[in-house]
Amino acid sequence: MQTTFRFSFGPWNIHEGADPFGPPVRDSMSFAQKLKLFKPLGFDGVQFHDDDAVPDLNDLDSTALAKKAKEVKSMLDGEGLVAEFVAPRLWEDPRTIDGGYTANDPACRTYAIERSLRAIDIAHALDTKLIVLWLAREGTYVRESKDSKRSTEYLVEAINRMLAHDSSIRIAIEPKPNEPVDQAYIPTTGHAIALGHLCSDPARVGVNIESAHAILAGLDPSDEMGFALAHKKLFSVHLNDQNGIKFDADRSFGSIDLRRAFNQVRILDRHAYGSSGEFVGLDIKAMRTQKFDVSTKHLSNSRTVFLNLLEVSRGLDQKAIDALIAARDYEELDLLIINALMGK
Ligand code: XLS
Ligand code: MG
């Protein structure tokens, strides 16, 4: 049975092009305008940070929060879209300067947990069961400032609070080795899966693998995905690309290393990723140089590349591949794949 893939992205992937060295270069688009673009671009799912759905949520009581989230749900319904996940944004508030769940100040840790529980309430209103945790500031610039064992325990305590808050939610940890912190506590898929096993209900804790984050850790994203699939932990993916080990570039999928992208598509397709409703999520920035009227091409192009690579993968002569594997002629297998990618 071949999977029909469904695609998603988040509203932050359509952006004004500001970077740490310069101001916005494109006009803003309202959330409502962005929502109208999903379907025409070929996307069915919307990824949310909690405040993408409910701006300034810290200022709202729970009734106002639920009301606002329900309005967003109606907007989604109106466009024929669904929410894929909600992720608490734990890296902008002054109380998360030293991290959220692993901050040294107990009041800050409490804030991080309470904010996460509110993100779950928003997910509930948007009718998604998936929470993504990108652990942005859970790590150190200075090793001696925190204790890595204690920090791991704080992360477990926070996740347990979330699992207890709503018995229907599932949590996908999104590992990343660095940026903004120098050294993150949960840098790889293996760390994320192991953390899940320390939690109160491990079956409800999995991963969201972002290609660029795996590359930043010096790892191959498709192998990370295979590892998570073997553990039945691949709850979501954030496909993109990355030119070497530097800042998180979030380039269009396949634009840097087509074969690396091909292998991600192939591992997902061969193991029926998506057949339990998982989305092929993108987390991609438009180049700063892109003008406003063509500032969504990174999304549609990445989807097109995914689908083209899927066609290449499904079109391969598996018997020929098996024979080359049996003969251990990996040089010829290498050429077979390269030729397929070149359309030869
Ligand atoms: C940042 C992350 C972020 C998450 C969602 O590097 O990729 O965008 O995917 O919080
Ligand atoms: Mg991401």
Side-chain angles (χ1 to χ4, degrees):
M1 256 289 278
Q2 293 193 330
T3 320
T4 305
F5 290 100
R6 292 187 306 163
F7 296 85
S8 66
F9 68 87
W12 67 92
N13 292 127
I14 301 175
H15 57 99
E16 297 82 14
D19 69 16
F21 307 98
V25 289
R26 291 183 288 267
D27 289 342
S28 303
M29 231 184 259
S30 70
F31 175 67
Q33 282 173 304
K34 289 179 185 179
L35 273 196
K36 296 228 170 294
L37 297 174
F38 276 72
K39 284 279 179 182
L41 288 169
F43 292 78
D44 298 310
V46 183
Q47 312 168 1
F48 284 94
H49 290 116
D50 48 8
D51 57 2
D52 293 323
V54 182
D56 303 318
L57 68 135
N58 288 341
D59 305 334
L60 304 178
D61 64 21
S62 51
T63 317
L65 181 109
K67 184 171 176 279
K68 179 71 194 137
K70 279 286 168 209
E71 282 166 23
V72 175
K73 172 72 171 84
S74 309
M75 289 170 83
L76 291 175
D77 291 346
E79 301 296 335
L81 295 166
V82 296
E84 185 200 356
F85 66 71
V86 177
R89 198 192 293 276
L90 292 175
W91 49 93
E92 290 186 354
D93 192 272
R95 285 162 287 188
T96 58
I97 289 172
D98 187 33
Y101 314 128
T102 65
N104 279 316
D105 180 346
C108 294
R109 294 199 299 275
T110 301
Y111 164 75
I113 291 177
E114 280 169 3
R115 170 87 182 219
S116 307
L117 303 186
R118 304 195 99 204
I120 294 173
D121 296 341
I122 293 172
H124 192 74
L126 296 182
D127 203 21
T128 174
K129 308 272 178 238
L130 191 61
I131 301 296
V132 163
L133 284 188
W134 171 47
L135 300 168
R137 299 193 190 277
E138 315 302 353
T140 55
Y141 303 97
V142 173
R143 276 270 158 56
E144 297 80 4
S145 65
K146 292 183 184 176
D147 177 310
S148 50
K149 175 175 183 284
R150 192 67 196 109
S151 292
T152 304
E153 291 161 358
Y154 284 145
L155 291 171
V156 171
E157 284 164 30
I159 293 172
N160 286 349
R161 284 284 305 278
M162 297 171 72
L163 293 169
H165 183 71
D166 182 337
S167 62
S168 68
I169 55 136
R170 296 158 87 226
I171 296 177
I173 300 169
E174 183 177 335
K176 183 177 181 183
N178 59 280
E179 198 199 30
V181 287
D182 181 44
Q183 300 276 353
Y185 283 132
I186 306 298
T188 69
T189 305
H191 288 82
I193 291 177
L195 186 69
H197 284 300
L198 290 176
C199 295
S200 55
D201 190 357
R204 290 199 283 138
V205 186
V207 293
N208 175 24
I209 296 181
E210 174 160 327
S211 323
H213 297 182
I215 298 163
L216 285 170
L219 299 168
D220 179 80
S222 72
D223 284 352
E224 292 288 278
M225 288 171 190
F227 185 82
L229 286 164
H231 286 83
K232 299 193 172 30
K233 292 293 187 195
L234 194 56
F235 292 0
S236 188
V237 293
H238 265 175
L239 300 186
N240 55 20
D241 211 347
Q242 176 73 22
N243 209 353
I245 300 180
K246 47 184 179 185
F247 65 94
D248 189 5
D250 291 337
R251 295 289 301 273
S252 288
F253 185 57
S255 66
I256 307 298
D257 186 332
L258 197 59
R259 189 166 180 180
R260 188 168 59 194
F262 162 78
N263 278 301
Q264 291 169 68
V265 174
R266 189 161 164 80
I267 197 84
L268 295 175
D269 189 41
R270 278 162 72 91
H271 300 290
Y273 174 85
S275 57
S276 304
E278 302 91 346
F279 275 91
V280 174
L282 305 181
D283 197 359
I284 301 178
K285 288 194 187 76
M287 290 181 218
R288 193 166 193 266
T289 42
Q290 211 63 4
K291 291 183 182 165
F292 180 81
D293 56 339
V294 286
S295 63
T296 56
K297 283 194 174 175
H298 57 304
L299 299 163
S300 48
N301 289 354
S302 294
R303 179 179 174 275
T304 301
V305 167
F306 182 98
L307 292 171
N308 288 347
L309 290 174
L310 186 62
E311 206 177 302
V312 171
S313 181
R314 288 180 177 174
L316 289 173
D317 181 346
Q318 194 55 46
K319 281 211 177 76
I321 293 177
D322 290 343
L324 292 172
I325 292 171
R328 223 176 63 203
D329 190 354
Y330 298 159
E331 289 288 0
E332 199 58 35
L333 175 59
D334 204 21
L335 184 65
L336 184 152
I337 299 295
I338 294 167
N339 277 339
L341 287 171
M342 292 194 301
K344 297 271 177 203

